[in-house]
Amino acid sequence: AAAMELPPSHGVANRAAALATGYLCYRRGSPGRGLALRCLRRARRQDIDDVGHKYYLELVLEDVLDKDSTVNCTAEVLYHLGNKNIAPDVQFTLEGELKNTEEADNIFYSRIKSLEKELVAENIPDSHGNVPPEMEPVRLLAWVASGYLIWQNSTENTKFQLAQIKRVKQVKRSDEYLEFDYTILLHEMVSQEIIPWQMTVLWHPQHGVQVTQDSRQPKHASQ
Amino acid sequence: MKILLVFAALVAAACGQRLFVGDQVLRITASDEEQISLLRVLGEQTELQVDFWRHPTSPGHPADLRVPFPSLQAVKIFLESNSISYSIMIKDMQELLDEEKKNMTKSRRTERSTSTFDFASYHTIEEIYDWMDTLVDDHPGLVSKIQIGQSYENRPLYVLKFSTGGSNRSAIWLDTGIHSREWITQATGVWTANKIAEEYGQDPSVTAILDSMDIFFEIITNPDGFAFTHSSNRMWRKTRSINAGSHCVGVDPNRNWDAGFGGSGSSSNPCSEIYRGPYAHSESEVKAIVDFIRAHRNVKSVISIHSYSQMLLFPYGYKRVPAAHHQELNELAKKAVNDLAAMYGTKYAYGSVADTIYVADGTTIDWAYDNGVKYSFTFELRDTGRYGFLLPSTQIIPTATETWPALLDIMLHVLEHPY
């Protein structure tokens, strides 16, 4: 079937855009660079028999640390029919360069490597939305890593966002990587659920962000 | 197990009480994992109607348990016979609530004026209720406070009435905080109520509106939930009503209205964040507004304020069919979001609920619309997910400031299009 134009204000198009953004952020993000969706400019959808639904998107992304820094992007998202255990396929092309964050990344890397005691923190942001400045890279790292979870767990009827870091604990390693164990809260917009999720995140300035292990946590009993 | 049966029998007769007279809060410290399990089972005995303010997690760490008066004897027998140590943290909850109320009255007299209130911070329920009284004191003849009912936990449901006189004039209804975790909404509500009071007699639009119409503004529409976000769980959305037969608490007050009630845009599972409740208007917080609007008979607009997503929405949510007034509502929404964006560049999407976010049934504005209130809108305030519900307090005043012209656009349109 031919691709059908979707109004960019429509929920279904925005869910695909959120997924594409999460994937992209995971692939290109770092503690010095988080990407967020500024706006969805155009969306088309194609129903492919026996395969699934494919979305063609034109996005504008912004740097969360510098709202004036934006980049255009085209993306294709394919939600597979049937088997909901396969993550959607996402492909993207960035039109232009992303800001170079080498310096900020290296500063953060050195800072954490030189800590005597492993970093531990809770509730980022806190109830009032505050993030201590020295925690901002830790927060961005979670933002980037949550893109992986969003990508792996999204369907056409879900829209995930990182709501809060409940707890983060650094795990010291003998190799060059930094490792953090996060328990985050993901907010799913359609069901409105707040889902605790544990993830192990590896990062190195030259090797990008990796989620090596993750597990969805049960909600508290009496909630 | 036999012990559980014994006290279950003891409390069989006394279920479903709502008042807090004689209710106690016990601080319980389990000494080993077996005691932790026993406590968990205790919490799941629905006929006891106990609820953990602080859950039993590990031995040595205290858990706090609210126990309704009728269940007290049985619970204490259970704890003592299992050698679980406890102390009484709150001897009588009703006394405590009465004490709180007295203190609010006292501090109301010491809080001198609304000009000292910090609009750029998030406040507690007590602080906002105190501030309401100072707003009334500062604007006599314009602002009054009425109580339209009580929450599940017996907190008063207060509405600010803005009126320059007349008798049962056409009215605009505004509410914030129906979902308690959406803190930017209660904060915006406080700023906006203050703005309305200040601008009467100054701003021509506000003056024109209030010279002909009344405004009713419920700022803390879900006080139990709001208190819970401060004391226990910042991400709490629903009411705090106890669900029979379930250990999960609360009903989504924006799925509980009698409009398309019970469809696929809500859940029948009490543990769900979009649980619709056992029946439409089961929640006292919702019923109070329904009764008020029905009795008033002259409400011309309902504007319900939520967060987050940056959207201005109108009916329908429960069906994908355009509302009869779709075009007019769409045009008005377009104007309002343009004026909102003019302030700081904040972009809002707009459209029907079903198209713009998702199918949702039993919502406030669908009920209002289907009951003759043509100008029914839902705002979803900042942001689009960067901070979500945890919007930094530095964004309170910018958010309220930019939303103001959009609200004015709607209210002016209502004034200029009587029906």
Side-chain angles (χ1 to χ4, degrees):
Chain A
M4 197 180 65
E5 203 76 32
L6 294 175
S9 59
H10 277 209
V12 67
N14 276 284
R15 291 193 281 276
L19 165 58
T21 304
Y23 176 81
L24 204 150
C25 189
Y26 178 60
R27 285 274 179 252
R28 290 282 186 273
S30 77
R33 181 201 292 132
L35 295 168
L37 180 66
R38 165 73 73 89
C39 77
L40 173 63
R41 287 219 309 235
R42 192 180 175 205
R44 286 171 301 147
R45 177 180 132 158
Q46 185 184 28
D47 293 349
I48 307 173
D49 286 339
D50 299 326
V51 177
H53 298 155
K54 193 164 189 184
Y55 290 77
Y56 299 85
L57 309 167
E58 288 175 27
L59 315 170
V60 180
L61 303 172
E62 68 184 19
D63 185 321
V64 301
L65 294 178
D66 177 10
K67 296 288 176 73
D68 292 330
S69 172
T70 63
V71 66
N72 292 341
C73 169
T74 57
E76 288 175 19
V77 175
L78 172 62
Y79 295 100
H80 297 280
L81 218 57
N83 190 346
K84 293 299 176 201
N85 286 327
I86 307 177
D89 291 342
V90 186
Q91 292 184 66
F92 66 88
T93 310
L94 288 172
E95 290 159 27
E97 296 281 305
L98 291 173
K99 229 165 49 149
N100 186 302
T101 58
E102 219 179 291
E103 193 183 330
D105 287 344
N106 286 328
I107 289 173
F108 175 68
Y109 182 81
S110 309
R111 191 185 121 212
I112 303 297
K113 266 294 183 188
S114 62
L115 286 176
E116 273 191 26
K117 271 194 78 180
E118 289 95 339
L119 181 145
V120 176
E122 290 185 337
N123 291 332
I124 300 168
D126 67 15
S127 285
H128 294 227
N130 298 319
V131 179
E134 69 274 13
M135 283 297 145
E136 193 63 67
V138 173
R139 198 218 167 185
L140 271 188
L141 183 59
W143 177 265
V144 171
S146 69
Y148 171 81
L149 298 183
I150 292 170
W151 165 44
Q152 289 290 311
N153 293 282
S154 286
T155 70
E156 275 173 288
N157 297 312
T158 62
K159 187 160 182 265
F160 288 99
Q161 287 280 183
L162 171 65
Q164 192 183 35
I165 300 168
K166 281 314 277 181
R167 194 155 193 272
V168 57
K169 186 171 182 309
Q170 180 194 359
V171 179
K172 283 231 164 160
R173 293 175 69 94
S174 50
D175 63 17
E176 49 175 2
Y177 283 88
L178 296 185
E179 179 177 333
F180 296 90
D181 185 57
Y182 283 94
T183 300
I184 59 171
L185 297 178
L186 283 181
H187 173 225
E188 200 291 291
M189 187 68 77
V190 177
S191 65
Q192 290 294 338
E193 295 296 330
I194 301 285
I195 309 166
W197 214 298
Q198 176 271 331
M199 59 181 184
T200 304
V201 181
L202 252 53
W203 176 68
H204 183 276
Q206 264 93 63
H207 302 306
V209 178
Q210 249 189 297
V211 174
T212 55
Q213 179 268 336
D214 71 271
S215 104
R216 183 174 173 144
Q217 303 295 300
K219 254 167 89 164
H220 262 284
S222 178
Q223 266 182 1
Chain B
M1 274 300 124
K2 188 161 74 167
I3 294 289
L4 287 175
L5 290 173
V6 167
F7 71 70
L10 276 174
V11 300
C15 289
Q17 252 211 354
R18 283 185 175 207
L19 289 175
F20 293 93
V21 177
D23 289 10
Q24 294 189 345
V25 178
L26 308 179
R27 176 150 287 177
I28 306 171
T29 309
S31 58
D32 56 35
E33 284 298 341
E34 190 189 310
Q35 291 196 346
I36 296 278
S37 302
L38 285 171
L39 286 178
R40 292 222 174 98
V41 172
L42 178 69
E44 280 159 10
Q45 304 304 306
T46 48
E47 63 282 350
L48 294 177
Q49 305 260 294
V50 301
D51 86 281
F52 279 103
W53 284 10
R54 197 157 41 147
H55 290 278
T57 48
S58 49
H61 288 101
D64 295 333
L65 181 71
R66 183 184 69 81
V67 185
F69 180 69
S71 307
L72 264 179
Q73 188 184 22
V75 169
K76 287 178 179 173
I77 290 175
F78 174 75
L79 294 173
E80 284 158 24
S81 63
N82 284 292
S83 304
I84 302 177
S85 70
Y86 72 95
S87 58
I88 299 172
M89 208 169 74
I90 296 174
K91 216 174 37 147
D92 185 335
M93 266 197 65
Q94 193 57 49
E95 256 180 36
L96 188 72
L97 289 169
D98 292 344
E99 196 49 54
E100 265 188 4
K101 218 160 96 169
K102 252 198 319 178
N103 286 334
M104 267 163 51
T105 316
K106 254 198 302 180
S107 54
R108 187 171 61 217
R109 288 195 218 102
T110 59
E111 174 68 70
R112 272 297 83 196
S113 93
T114 48
S115 60
T116 59
F117 188 84
D118 182 7
F119 293 98
S121 298
Y122 290 114
H123 290 280
T124 63
I125 191 171
E126 295 79 17
E127 288 165 357
I128 294 177
Y129 278 3
D130 282 352
W131 165 84
M132 280 184 197
D133 290 331
T134 65
L135 187 74
V136 170
D137 286 346
D138 285 356
H139 300 274
L142 178 66
V143 191
S144 58
K145 186 180 84 174
I146 59 179
Q147 182 173 344
I148 62 169
Q150 287 190 310
S151 69
Y152 182 81
E153 290 172 351
N154 287 315
R155 291 184 175 83
L157 300 171
Y158 287 136
V159 171
L160 291 173
K161 177 181 180 183
F162 297 80
S163 179
T164 59
S167 165
N168 193 234
R169 286 179 172 171
S170 293
I172 296 166
W173 169 276
L174 291 155
D175 63 70
T176 53
I178 197 169
H179 288 141
S180 37
R181 64 189 179 199
E182 298 165 9
W183 276 18
I184 186 60
T185 70
Q186 298 95 336
T188 295
V190 167
W191 185 96
T192 304
N194 186 65
K195 182 76 168 168
I196 295 171
E198 275 186 351
E199 294 294 355
Y200 177 71
Q202 309 294 324
D203 176 286
S205 302
V206 177
T207 309
I209 291 164
L210 283 173
D211 277 345
S212 303
M213 304 182 72
D214 293 342
I215 296 174
F216 293 94
F217 204 152
E218 186 175 13
I219 293 175
I220 303 185
T221 307
N222 178 5
D224 296 348
F226 190 52
F228 199 72
T229 58
H230 278 278
S231 67
S232 309
N233 181 353
R234 175 63 177 81
M235 295 294 179
W236 191 261
R237 166 185 169 90
K238 301 188 286 182
T239 62
R240 289 293 301 165
S241 56
I242 292 183
N243 293 308
S246 172
H247 59 274
C248 290
V249 175
V251 167
D252 184 343
N254 202 29
R255 298 291 186 278
N256 187 242
W257 300 71
D258 193 8
F261 181 84
S264 59
S266 60
S267 172
S268 59
N269 181 350
C271 298
S272 165
E273 293 282 20
I274 54 172
Y275 174 50
R276 62 179 72 112
Y279 51 89
H281 307 169
S282 62
E283 303 311 283
S284 59
E285 296 84 351
V286 170
K287 183 84 167 53
I289 304 174
V290 168
D291 289 346
F292 177 82
I293 291 178
R294 276 197 180 134
H296 188 279
R297 299 165 69 88
N298 218 7
V299 172
K300 299 301 181 187
S301 173
V302 164
I303 303 172
S304 193
I305 300 178
H306 292 248
S307 78
Y308 60 92
S309 279
Q310 291 175 201
M311 294 174 174
L312 179 50
L313 308 166
F314 48 85
Y316 284 108
Y318 73 85
K319 50 186 177 180
R320 288 191 180 283
V321 173
H325 306 96
H326 178 96
Q327 200 175 348
E328 182 185 359
L329 297 175
N330 200 59
E331 284 302 306
L332 180 51
K334 182 175 175 182
K335 179 182 196 331
V337 310
N338 281 342
D339 288 340
L340 189 153
M343 189 70 66
Y344 301 115
T346 306
K347 286 177 105 132
Y348 268 53
Y350 62 96
S352 74
V353 172
D355 285 338
T356 317
I357 11 175
Y358 42 59
V359 168
D361 44 67
T363 64
T364 307
I365 62 168
D366 281 358
W367 176 84
Y369 187 76
D370 276 352
N371 281 273
V373 184
K374 191 199 303 186
Y375 299 112
S376 294
F377 287 93
T378 294
F379 276 83
E380 293 279 356
L381 300 180
R382 289 194 194 181
D383 60 12
T384 54
R386 173 93 183 98
Y387 287 94
F389 300 120
L390 305 179
L391 197 71
S393 48
T394 49
Q395 293 198 40
I396 294 175
I397 293 187
T399 301
T401 304
E402 70 190 4
T403 308
W404 173 245
L407 284 172
L408 263 187
D409 280 340
I410 296 172
M411 294 198 288
L412 265 176
H413 187 95
V414 176
L415 175 72
E416 288 160 5
H417 296 82
Y419 63 93

